[in-house]
DNA sequence: TTTCGCAACCAAACCGTTTTCAATTTTAGA
DNA sequence: TCTAAAATTGAAAACGGTTTGGTTGCGAAA
C-alpha cells in the first residue's frame, strides 16, 4: 500500500496524510484521528527508504564492532535494545575488518558519507582518539562510551574507572596488602589508563611504590588472567592481592591461585571489575568475588537514550555522564596473611 | 557530490556513470575505468537511501535480539561481521520488547513491511515455529540458525546437536557411567529437543532408562549449572556424570562438584558444549573440560554467507547445512569410580 | 551504396515519500 | 453582513539515484 493509494482511499491528498501521520499541527484533529485509524486498518506504513531519502534521516544508530569477540558487547547491545524498542530507531552493526589504523578511519569516514546512520557510538576510546576528531570534523553526531582527552568537544558516558580502582586498591591496602598486582585491559584505551591511574594513586597515597613487575595489560580473557596471575605468584616476591579487569580475568586468577595450592580470599585477595552478566555472577563464585560493579546493560540503555537526545538536537557539550561504580566486598578479599615463619 | 554533478564533471550522462559503477556491460571498458578512477579521486559515492528506494533493496540483514543477554550473540555477530565486511551489507539489530508471543510476531511482521532488511536470520527456532511460517508467507528471505520441524520450506544451518550429545553420552556410558545427568537449555527450542533426543537415544541404546530426576532445563548460566548439579548430586542416588549445555553451565557444575568436596574428572565426569569463545576456553579449565565443540563464530560467518546467497536468489530449498560437532575428550571425563565399600 | 547489427551512450520516467507554496474553507472581529 | 485572519487542505517540486527505451555512429554484410 503506497501513500498515494492510501490517500485516495481516504479521499485526502498525500500531503495531508503525510502530515497527519507525522504529527504536523496544521491538520485537524478529526482528520488526524481518522488517518491514524485507517492506517492501522488498511496496514499502511510509509516506505522507510523513501522517507530516508527525502528527509536524510537514517533511523539507525551505528555501532562499529571490532573483531575481538567481546562478551561485553552483547550486554551493551541488549541495553541499547531495551531503550530503542519503543523508538523507531534501530541499531546498525558495522563490521570492522582489521584493527588496522587506516582502515578504521576509512570505515568511519565511509559510514558517515553513506548516511546510513544518524549517530554513532564510539567504544573504547583512546586518550587521543582520531575517530573522535574525525566524527567531529564530519559533523556526525556521536556519543563516546568511555572518555577521551582529545581536544575536541564530544558527548560521553563513562564509569568512574579511576575511582573504582582507587577504592578497590585502597581497600586492599587497608587490609594490609602491600604487594598488589594489577591485571588491566589492553593498553591504549582510556579506561585502562584511568584504572592504572586509580591503582597508582591508591598505592602512592599510602606511600607504596608501584612495581612494574606486578602490572600487566591484555585482553579480558580467562587465559590471560591465569597466565599473569600465575607468573606474578611465581615471582620471588609474589603479590598478596590482585586487582583484575574483568570477570573472565577473575576466573583465570582463581585458577592460577588454586593451581598453586593457595586459596582466594585467604592467601590471595582479589577484586575484579564486574559488568554484571546474567550468566556469570560474582556473588556465585567460590569464594564469592569482591568486585567493582557497574551494569553494562544499564550503560547501553542510557547511551541509547543520550544518542536519541543528540539526534534530536541536544548539544554534545551538555552530555557528560560519569557513573559512580559500586565496590562490593565479598569473600575474595581478606586481611593479608602474615608470611609463614 | 551527487551523481548529476559527478557525471557532468566527467562529461558523461548520469546513466552511463551509474552503469559504469554498477558493472553493466553496455559501457566501454575505457569509460568504466575512467569513471571508477574519478569516482575515487573526487570521492563520489552513490547515496544509499536513493539506491535503496529505487532498487527496493535494503542492504541489510536483520537479526532480532532477545532480551536475555546471551553470550553467544556477540560471537555469532562477530562471525557475521567477518563475512560481511567486504560486502555492502550491514547487520540490523532489531530489539525485541517482550518474549510475549503476539508481540514477537507483530515485530517480525513490521520488520518485513518496513523493508528495512533484505533477509532475516531466525535464532533458536522452535519445533513448530510460527516465525518461520510468517516469514515464508510474507515472502521474506530468511535463514534459520538451527532447525524447525515446521511444514514450511526454509533454509537452515544447524549443528548436529543430537549426534553430539549422543556421542558424548555414549562415551560416558562406555566409561562405565550409568547415572548420567543432563543439564539442557531452555525447553521449547529445537536444539534443546535434539540434545534431549541424543541423550535419550544413547541411554536407551545401552538399555538405560532415562531418569527424569536427572534432567533439567534452563538458561545457560553459571548459576543454574550450579543449582541443578548440586541438587542432582544431593539426591539419594546421585549421578556420576553430567552432560551440560554450555560453558557457563559447566562452570556452575564445576563449582557444585567442588562444593561437595568432590572432584571433576575423578568423582564426577562432565562433558559440556563449547561454542568456542576467545575469552573462556575449555582446555584451560581445571581439570580441562571435555567438550562437544562447534564454533559459534564460524556459524555466524557461514550464515552471513548463506543469507547473501539467499538474497541473490538461491532457493531456500537448497540450503540445508548440518554441521558435525567435534567431541574433544580432556580431563573432565574418566571411568566411573566404584562406589566406596 | 544501402541496410543491418552492435557497441556505446543519453533523456526522461520513476521509486515513495516530504515539504514548499498556494488555494480553499472556517472562524472571528467589526 | 463583510472582511481579514486563521485553519485546513492540495498540487507539484524535490530527494538522488536506476532503468527503460531510445539515439547515434560505425563497420560488416548484402
Amino acid at each position: 500500500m503506497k501513500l498515494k493509494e492510501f490517500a485516495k482511499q481516504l479521499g485526502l491528498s498525500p500531503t495531508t496524510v503525510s502530515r497527519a501521520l507525522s504529527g504536523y499541527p496544521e491538520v485537524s484533529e478529526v482528520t488526524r484521528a481518522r488517518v491514524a485509524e485507517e492506517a492501522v486498518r488498511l496496514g499502511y506504513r510509509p516506505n522507510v527508504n523513501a522517507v530516508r531519502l527525502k528527509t536524510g534521516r537514517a533511523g539507525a544508530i551505528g555501532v562499529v564492532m571490532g573483531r575481538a569477540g567481546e562478551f561485553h558487547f552483547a550486554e551493551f547491545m541488549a541495553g541499547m535494545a531495551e531503550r530503542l524498542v519503543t523508538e523507531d530507531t534501530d541499531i546498525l552493526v558495522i563490521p570492522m575488518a582489521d584493527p588496522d589504523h587506516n582502515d578504521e578511519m576509512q570505515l568511519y569516514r565511509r559510514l558517515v558519507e553513506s548516511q546510513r546512520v544518524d549517530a554513532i557510538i564510539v567504544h573504547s576510546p583512546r586518550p587521543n582518539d582520531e575517530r573522535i576528531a574525525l566524527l567531529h570534523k564530519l559533523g556526525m553526531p556521536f556519543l563516546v562510551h568511555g572518555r577521551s582527552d582529545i581536544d575536541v568537544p564530544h558527548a560521553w558516558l563513562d564509569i568512574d574507572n579511576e575511582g573504582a580502582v582507587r577504592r578497590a586498591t585502597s581497600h586492599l591496602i587497608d587490609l594490609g596488602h602491600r604487594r598488589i598486582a594489577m591485571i588491566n585491559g589492553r593498553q591504549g584505551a582510556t579506561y585502562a589508563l584511568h584504572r592504572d591511574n586509580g591503582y597508582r594513586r591508591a598505592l602512592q597515597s599510602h606511600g607504596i611504590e608501584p612495581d612494574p613487575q606486578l602490572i600487566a595489560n591484555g585482553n579480558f580473557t580467562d587465559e590471560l588472567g591465569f597466565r599473569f596471575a600465575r607468573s606474578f605468584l611465581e615471582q620471588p616476591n609474589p603479590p598478596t592481592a590482585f586487582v583484575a579487569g574483568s570477570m573472565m580475568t577473575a576466573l583465570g586468577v582463581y585458577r592460577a591461585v588454586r593451581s598453586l595450592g593457595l586459596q582466594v580470599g585467604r592467601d590471595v585477595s582479589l577484586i575484579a571489575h564486574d559488568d554484571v552478566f546474567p550468566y556469570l555472577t560474582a556473588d556465585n563464585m567460590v569464594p564469592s568475588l569482591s568486585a567493582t560493579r557497574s551494569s553494562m546493560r544499564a550503560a547501553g540503555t542510557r547511551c541509547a537514550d543520550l544518542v536519541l537526545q543528540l539526534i534530536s538536537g541536544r548539544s554534545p557539550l551538555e552530555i557528560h555522564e560519569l557513573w559512580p561504580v559500586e565496590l562490593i566486598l565479598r569473600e575474595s578479599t581478606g586481611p593479608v596473611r602474615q608470611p609463614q615463619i
Side-chain angles (χ1 to χ4, degrees), chain A:
Chain A
M1 169 86 60
K2 323 279 171 81
L3 170 60
K4 213 166 159 183
E5 187 186 343
F6 177 57
K8 190 168 287 174
Q9 297 232 2
L10 287 180
L12 288 170
S13 73
T15 311
T16 306
V17 172
S18 171
R19 286 207 270 241
L21 292 175
S22 314
Y24 278 63
E26 60 265 67
V27 67
S28 78
E29 276 315 316
V30 185
T31 312
R32 183 193 309 290
R34 189 163 68 96
V35 171
E37 193 177 304
E38 292 291 286
V40 173
R41 197 173 66 79
L42 299 176
Y44 167 73
R45 293 182 62 81
N47 177 302
V48 199
N49 293 324
V51 174
R52 289 180 181 173
L53 170 57
K54 184 59 196 176
T55 62
R57 274 178 243 125
I61 296 171
V63 179
V64 174
M65 180 181 196
R67 281 180 105 159
E70 286 137 16
F71 48 91
H72 313 96
F73 191 73
E75 274 299 290
F76 186 86
M77 295 274 288
M80 285 187 69
E82 219 159 271
R83 174 65 183 81
L84 296 178
V85 74
T86 53
E87 227 68 23
D88 209 14
T89 302
D90 25 47
I91 305 168
L92 200 64
V93 175
I94 298 100
M96 185 166 72
D98 293 297
D100 169 350
H101 173 71
N102 264 345
D103 253 36
E104 192 180 356
M105 296 308 276
Q106 196 59 30
L107 179 72
Y108 278 88
R109 189 180 290 277
R110 282 199 181 171
L111 178 55
V112 171
E113 281 168 3
S114 73
Q115 302 182 38
R116 283 175 304 178
V117 297
D118 295 320
I120 293 177
I121 292 186
V122 173
H123 280 283
S124 301
R126 293 174 289 275
N128 188 328
D129 203 306
E130 291 186 65
R131 294 173 296 175
I132 296 177
L134 179 70
L135 292 175
H136 176 72
K137 196 183 76 181
L138 297 178
M140 163 67 62
F142 65 100
L143 174 76
V144 177
H145 179 216
R147 262 178 297 172
S148 173
D149 294 329
I150 199 169
D151 185 24
V152 164
H154 58 281
W156 54 261
L157 181 153
D158 197 4
I159 61 173
D160 183 12
N161 281 297
E162 170 169 342
V165 171
R166 182 153 32 78
R167 280 168 58 208
T169 309
S170 287
H171 181 256
L172 291 169
I173 296 172
D174 291 344
L175 286 170
H177 297 276
R178 289 299 174 267
R179 301 279 297 160
I180 302 173
M182 169 69 161
I183 305 183
N184 205 339
R186 291 187 64 169
Q187 219 142 14
T190 316
Y191 75 85
L193 208 68
H194 286 170
R195 290 184 183 180
D196 193 63
N197 287 343
Y199 169 72
R200 288 172 194 276
R201 297 228 169 121
L203 290 183
Q204 279 160 359
S205 77
H206 289 80
I208 305 172
E209 190 60 28
D211 179 353
Q213 300 275 37
L214 292 183
I215 299 176
N217 287 270
N219 283 334
F220 289 142
T221 68
D222 165 78
E223 165 128 12
L224 281 185
F226 176 80
R227 287 215 193 150
F228 287 139
R230 176 96 191 200
S231 82
F232 288 161
L233 290 171
E234 281 170 339
Q235 287 179 16
N237 189 4
T240 61
F242 284 82
V243 177
S246 80
M247 292 291 286
M248 295 302 161
T249 314
L251 285 176
V253 175
Y254 271 69
R255 259 205 303 130
V257 172
R258 267 200 226 101
S259 76
L260 292 169
L262 302 172
Q263 198 176 309
V264 171
R266 198 193 56 179
D267 306 301
V268 174
S269 282
L270 169 63
I271 300 181
H273 185 72
D274 179 8
D275 290 303
V276 190
F277 304 109
Y279 47 85
L280 185 62
T281 57
D283 205 18
N284 281 337
M285 294 174 70
V286 178
S288 61
L289 173 68
S290 297
T292 52
R293 183 170 74 170
S294 182
S295 163
M296 199 61 164
R297 184 178 287 243
T301 304
R302 182 61 176 159
C303 279
D305 197 36
L306 291 173
V307 166
L308 289 174
Q309 296 183 20
L310 223 39
I311 291 175
S312 58
R314 187 168 172 207
S315 162
L317 294 169
E318 297 173 11
I319 300 180
H320 304 303
E321 284 194 14
L322 185 62
W323 286 15
V325 176
E326 293 176 282
L327 173 61
I328 297 174
L329 298 172
R330 300 198 184 86
E331 302 162 350
S332 71
T333 37
V336 68
R337 285 197 107 192
Q338 297 311 320
Q340 290 90 342
I341 307 170

